[in-house]
Amino acid sequence: MSRFFRWSLVRRFFSVMRQDGLAKALHKLRYYTVLHLRGSAPSLFGNNIPAQHEPQDQLLNTWSELARGGGFYVRRNQKEKPRIALIGDLNLAQCKKYRVEQLSAFWQAQGVQCDYSHYKDVPRAIHLLQRATHLCEYRLEDSPLTQMYRYEARRLGMPILFDIDDPLFSVTAYETYQNMAVLDPMLKTHFLSVAPRYAAMMNGADIVTVSTPGLAELARLYTPRPVHVRRNFADSETLTAGAAAIAARGSGDGLFRVVFASGSHGHEADFDLIKDELTAFISASPDRRLTILGHFQTEKLSATLLKQTEHHPFLPYRAYLAILAEANAAVMPLQDDLFNRCKSGVRVIDAAAVGLVSIVSPVGDLPTMIEDGRTGFVAKTAGDWTRALDTLATDTARAKSMTRAARETLESRWCALPQDHIVAPEIRDWVIT
């Protein structure tokens, strides 16, 4: 909080208010606050506040001494055991789990040490680079600090991999992303303005990895670097926590719950796709409930649906799974746009971990993780959503069978396997050979 409420920022707020009026100052303050809560806020209103020592200058003295002493360049021993330094933006909990923590555990299982650091933890990041043979960058934009890490990696003779799980580099994806319509317009302006910085990071790496085939297809339009897929998967923590949530599930209260999970703002646009069908289904019986998890503006719901709706705030992962485990079906509608075609199936993974059947839109990687009619349903039409919900609510035997199949398939196919549909062989070769 002390970094946010600085006197320099307060003075800047009043300066903007005097020059442009209170409304303009409040608008900019709201924009900055949102970015600050997302962990990506610049200094207020774009003004840089000089620091006594900039983070990107940390290695200047070392580089100068090495250059004068003739020991600047490091030649790697080709037989050296691979070790990965993963430096990334760890601000988003779900992203950290699926793209950082589980990747570290995956490589450890393959006999490769993989240590990670938040990119703003400069001492740790530099320390990891000194011991590494490979640098993996996650979700980083071009900046003096990230270029310092790259310069040091190249000095140490290591190859660089850039990993990303959203089309943050794509102006076209954000310009046509329908979820942005329900968010502050300045957020869209921010995302559009930083897209070239993410593209620059992709183009400065040796290899690029992404989370879905759709994202790979889009990334190849922005970079000539080789792009490969490393899907999100169910790691041991997910499987263990899911099993615990199943075991802790009580006998129930006789209600049939349909859950809609929203891990970020703007998913009201997706919900709108099925709001009529869902309202009709829920209101058809007093023992049915809509459970909304995470970010959602419930005031947008109709009075009819709101009466049978339960809303839980954004929760820690295990608490989130515990709520999921109490539901009978998970609905995952997605608007069909360029951004969503890049989406991974993490919501399907979470649901299957607690034996929950998912009903999904045929968009992104969601349908890839569903065996239609066996582990879940792919709803291509409005009628498909209604039929799937009716099936799960009325055919108890089939619902139980699908519940078991969803969990079993997650354990056997969508877990931490060194197989091509999880991790492209080119990625494994990049590290191990």
Side-chain angles (χ1 to χ4, degrees):
M1 294 299 290
S2 61
R3 291 189 303 165
F4 184 60
F5 292 105
R6 296 193 295 259
W7 279 115
S8 57
L9 303 185
V10 174
R11 288 193 297 271
R12 180 59 180 160
F13 172 81
F14 284 109
S15 175
V16 172
M17 185 175 69
R18 286 193 300 271
Q19 294 174 16
D20 302 320
L22 179 60
K24 185 72 171 179
L26 289 173
H27 185 61
K28 289 189 173 183
L29 178 61
R30 183 178 68 219
Y31 165 59
Y32 172 77
T33 302
V34 171
L35 293 182
H36 177 80
L37 293 174
R38 290 173 58 89
S40 57
S43 57
L44 190 60
F45 313 138
N47 280 29
N48 292 321
I49 298 176
Q52 187 174 4
H53 298 289
E54 295 290 350
Q56 64 270 14
D57 296 337
Q58 293 281 328
L59 286 169
L60 282 181
N61 289 337
T62 300
W63 289 339
S64 296
E65 292 177 7
L66 290 171
R68 288 193 297 268
F72 188 82
Y73 301 105
V74 174
R75 293 185 179 276
R76 287 287 180 187
N77 183 345
Q78 296 299 315
K79 296 182 179 180
E80 190 173 355
K81 190 174 182 179
R83 184 172 190 143
I84 301 170
L86 198 166
I87 301 174
D89 183 347
L90 312 184
N91 290 325
L92 300 177
Q94 177 178 286
C95 295
K96 180 183 178 183
K97 170 181 170 55
Y98 278 103
R99 301 308 291 179
V100 177
E101 292 174 338
Q102 71 169 207
L103 183 63
S104 176
F106 173 86
W107 283 121
Q108 305 274 9
Q110 311 309 310
V112 176
Q113 184 68 28
C114 180
D115 305 297
Y116 59 85
S117 170
H118 193 293
Y119 77 102
K120 289 186 177 179
D121 187 348
V122 179
R124 175 171 171 79
I126 292 175
H127 174 70
L128 295 186
L129 284 172
Q130 307 314 305
R131 301 187 298 166
T133 60
H134 297 69
L135 170 60
C136 177
E137 304 164 325
Y138 169 63
R139 207 179 172 95
L140 296 181
E141 62 181 79
D142 184 48
S143 71
L145 180 56
T146 55
Q147 288 305 317
M148 180 195 76
Y149 294 138
R150 283 198 164 176
Y151 197 85
E152 179 67 353
R154 295 307 190 190
R155 182 186 76 82
L156 296 171
M158 67 181 72
I160 298 173
L161 178 151
F162 181 74
D163 181 61
I164 197 162
D165 53 352
D166 278 321
L168 300 170
F169 53 83
S170 173
V171 169
T172 51
Y174 271 106
E175 189 59 52
T176 58
Y177 186 29
Q178 297 181 61
N179 295 46
M180 296 302 296
V182 299
L183 299 177
D184 189 322
M186 292 196 71
L187 271 180
K188 179 178 177 180
T189 300
H190 168 72
F191 287 127
L192 293 175
S193 69
V194 299
R197 300 180 197 172
Y198 289 100
M201 292 298 286
M202 286 199 306
N203 286 310
D206 300 301
I207 184 174
V208 177
T209 59
V210 296
S211 52
T212 69
L215 187 53
E217 183 179 350
L218 181 61
R220 292 184 184 114
L221 299 177
Y222 288 80
T223 181
R225 301 293 187 248
V227 181
H228 304 290
V229 175
R230 197 281 284 178
R231 275 191 169 94
N232 297 323
F233 53 80
D235 50 38
S236 58
E237 179 203 15
T238 298
L239 295 174
T240 301
I246 293 172
R249 184 165 50 200
S251 57
D253 53 13
L255 297 176
F256 184 94
R257 288 182 168 85
V258 179
V259 65
F260 176 84
S262 173
S264 58
H265 296 284
H267 289 293
E268 293 84 357
D270 298 316
F271 185 85
D272 283 347
L273 290 171
I274 62 168
K275 65 179 180 181
D276 293 338
E277 291 74 24
L278 201 51
T279 300
F281 174 80
I282 296 294
S283 60
S285 174
D287 64 356
R288 294 176 180 175
R289 295 289 184 274
L290 169 64
T291 300
I292 297 178
L293 299 179
H295 306 290
F296 198 88
Q297 301 177 54
T298 54
E299 62 270 18
K300 293 182 177 292
L301 299 177
S302 67
T304 300
L305 185 56
L306 190 56
K307 286 190 295 186
Q308 293 177 244
T309 296
E310 306 163 343
H311 183 207
H312 300 270
F314 197 82
L315 298 167
Y317 191 66
R318 287 181 179 270
Y320 157 69
L321 289 186
I323 299 294
L324 276 183
E326 298 295 331
N328 303 90
V331 291
M332 302 173 193
L334 276 182
Q335 295 279 356
D336 188 6
D337 55 41
L338 186 57
F339 192 101
N340 283 335
R341 289 173 208 151
C342 300
K343 286 277 190 180
S344 74
V346 293
R347 294 297 177 209
V348 176
I349 292 172
D350 295 340
V354 298
L356 185 61
V357 177
S358 298
I359 309 169
V360 307
S361 290
V363 179
D365 222 24
L366 292 177
T368 304
M369 307 192 77
I370 294 289
E371 293 181 48
D372 193 24
R374 179 175 174 271
T375 66
F377 295 98
V378 179
K380 299 178 181 178
T381 67
D384 289 344
W385 291 97
T386 299
R387 283 187 288 273
L389 288 168
D390 285 339
T391 296
L392 294 174
T394 60
D395 192 340
T396 305
R398 186 177 181 188
K400 288 183 177 180
S401 174
M402 294 182 72
T403 290
R404 289 192 298 270
R407 171 74 193 200
E408 290 168 358
T409 301
L410 184 69
E411 294 173 351
S412 62
R413 178 166 176 78
W414 299 110
C415 56
L417 300 169
Q419 295 183 6
D420 294 358
H421 70 286
I422 298 293
V423 183
E426 292 86 353
I427 302 172
R428 304 197 298 272
D429 292 345
W430 180 81
V431 173
I432 296 174
T433 61

